[in-house]
Amino acid sequence: EECIVPGNALTVSKNQFNGLQKFGNGFLTRFEGSQVSGSEFLQNITVIDSPGILSGKKQTSRSYDYEEILDWFAQRADMIILLFDVQKTDISDEVAGAIKRLEKHSDKLRVALNKSDSVSHQHLMKVYGALLWSLGRIISTPEVTRVYIGSFWSEPLRNEDTQNLIETEMNDLLSELKALPKMGAVRKINDMVKRIRQIRVHAILLDRVRTEAPSMFGKGKKKVKLLDKLPHIFRNIMKEHGLAVGDFPDIAEFRRDLDANFSDLKTCPKLVKKEKRLLHLENALNVDIPNLLDELPGINSMGARQGDII
């Protein structure tokens, strides 16, 4: 049966939206869920439709933190689709800020160019190239972001010259969406591995900072000196433990959070040599998760080994 569930009621139910309660009524009064019947496609997929990004003060005057909530959903999504109007591909500062927030989820990110049948083939190619160039300036990854060309409404396509291209692109996007439920378990394992690696690095970082500041609490000059030394600490830990640079947090964000919570360092437990908790993480990465992958149908036939999915 089709129904609309208000945000407050939706987040107290036993479902994946419980964590949204922390954003308060400012957000929850504008959040709602819609249950749709009769759609085979939606039986195994939940679609989240976010509000458009406003310009200027309208974006910052929302009664909730748009980018924080965007990040909350992005962490849990299997795919993120950025929808652009073919007639409005200019990327404002507000849009760029939101896309930048999604950069750490670039492996999930797809772009759809909507209303592509409303322009000529030549103009469509110009818009497509310009959008790729604009995205490349914001998303600093060597891989090119996948951009799908489409016209996402129920009416027939209006341009015969681009009809075959648009139909092929839309079918490709639909095929990728339909494959999401089958790849859900692999995606969850992939996210688990990323999280374990981040936790390991974070624990080692905090332990090193703690040991280098045993008696500096409340001493401003020494605190600033330690914060300035963070790039050196990052490099040393990377070298000593053989850790990948991609597992480390953004150094500017780490410095800001450390500065704001510096007095809490003394509450961090010390890591001793052959720390059991770190060994458990290593064992999970090297033994438990590879064994779990072997249990998934189709993974063995792909010849997956440790590191293939990660």
Side-chain angles (χ1 to χ4, degrees):
E1 184 178 352
E2 298 186 8
C3 65
I4 302 292
V5 183
N8 278 292
L10 188 61
T11 55
V12 297
S13 303
K14 292 182 179 180
N15 56 42
Q16 66 267 41
F17 301 117
N18 292 123
L20 290 169
Q21 294 184 56
K22 66 180 181 180
F23 296 112
N25 279 323
F27 168 70
L28 296 178
T29 54
R30 291 163 176 79
F31 177 60
E32 61 182 25
S34 176
Q35 184 172 318
V36 181
S37 61
S39 173
E40 183 180 349
F41 175 72
L42 292 176
Q43 285 182 357
N44 299 305
I45 287 181
T46 299
V47 179
I48 306 296
D49 183 17
S50 67
I53 300 173
L54 306 174
S55 59
K57 292 183 179 179
K58 291 182 179 180
Q59 175 71 7
T60 56
S61 63
R62 296 182 193 265
S63 57
Y64 54 88
D65 192 324
Y66 181 87
E67 290 188 4
E68 280 292 328
I69 295 171
L70 189 70
D71 190 49
W72 189 93
F73 280 111
Q75 289 177 35
R76 293 156 177 80
D78 291 313
M79 182 187 292
I80 304 164
I81 301 176
L82 288 175
L83 193 64
F84 283 91
D85 189 315
V86 73
Q87 304 282 8
K88 303 173 184 177
T89 56
D90 290 340
I91 299 179
S92 65
D93 291 342
E94 292 78 18
V95 174
I99 295 175
K100 196 69 179 176
R101 192 68 178 249
L102 296 172
E103 185 177 15
K104 57 187 173 184
H105 309 291
S106 59
D107 57 318
K108 307 177 184 179
L109 197 59
R110 306 291 185 272
V111 176
L113 193 56
N114 195 22
K115 303 179 184 177
S116 297
D117 60 337
S118 64
V119 297
S120 68
H121 190 283
Q122 182 181 17
H123 185 63
L124 178 59
M125 292 301 99
K126 289 180 179 179
V127 172
Y128 180 87
L131 181 59
L132 279 178
W133 181 81
S134 298
L135 291 171
R137 296 180 63 192
I138 302 170
I139 305 173
S140 55
T141 58
E143 297 81 11
V144 178
T145 305
R146 178 67 161 98
V147 177
Y148 290 97
I149 297 171
S151 185
F152 303 97
W153 67 335
S154 57
E155 298 297 321
L157 297 176
R158 293 173 290 182
N159 190 334
E160 293 183 359
D161 291 340
T162 57
Q163 182 173 344
N164 290 337
L165 172 63
I166 292 174
E167 286 178 346
T168 301
E169 288 282 295
M170 291 173 68
N171 286 333
D172 286 348
L173 177 57
L174 188 59
S175 296
E176 193 169 359
L177 286 169
K178 287 181 177 179
L180 288 178
K182 297 178 182 178
M183 296 300 294
V186 176
R187 170 69 70 184
K188 286 180 174 62
I189 292 174
N190 187 64
D191 290 342
M192 187 193 308
V193 171
K194 288 197 293 186
R195 182 65 174 159
I196 290 173
R197 285 177 164 170
Q198 290 169 352
I199 291 172
R200 176 180 60 181
V201 168
H202 204 73
I204 296 172
L205 273 174
L206 287 179
D207 182 65
R208 179 63 58 85
V209 172
R210 186 186 191 283
T211 56
E212 298 218 4
S215 58
M216 293 183 184
F217 303 111
K219 297 184 178 180
K221 291 184 179 180
K222 292 184 177 180
K223 172 184 168 182
V224 172
K225 185 177 179 181
L226 178 62
L227 292 174
D228 291 339
K229 193 181 176 182
L230 284 178
H232 179 70
I233 293 174
F234 271 51
R235 286 193 296 270
N236 281 350
I237 290 176
M238 202 179 303
K239 184 176 180 181
E240 291 170 14
H241 296 269
L243 299 172
V245 64
D247 295 339
F248 280 72
D250 179 82
I251 193 166
E253 290 185 12
F254 186 84
R255 176 184 175 126
R256 184 177 64 249
D257 293 340
L258 182 61
D259 187 20
N261 302 281
F262 199 78
S263 60
D264 294 337
L265 273 176
K266 58 185 177 182
T267 64
C268 294
K270 293 182 179 180
L271 292 180
V272 297
K273 192 174 182 180
K274 295 184 178 180
E275 169 66 44
K276 287 185 178 180
R277 285 166 290 191
L278 287 182
L279 291 177
H280 288 322
L281 293 180
E282 295 288 348
N283 189 66
L285 287 174
N286 298 322
V287 180
D288 296 338
I289 291 178
N291 289 339
L292 186 59
L293 282 171
D294 288 339
E295 299 296 322
L296 296 179
I299 295 297
N300 279 329
S301 62
M302 293 168 58
R305 299 177 302 278
Q306 181 184 348
D308 286 351
I309 303 297
I310 295 168

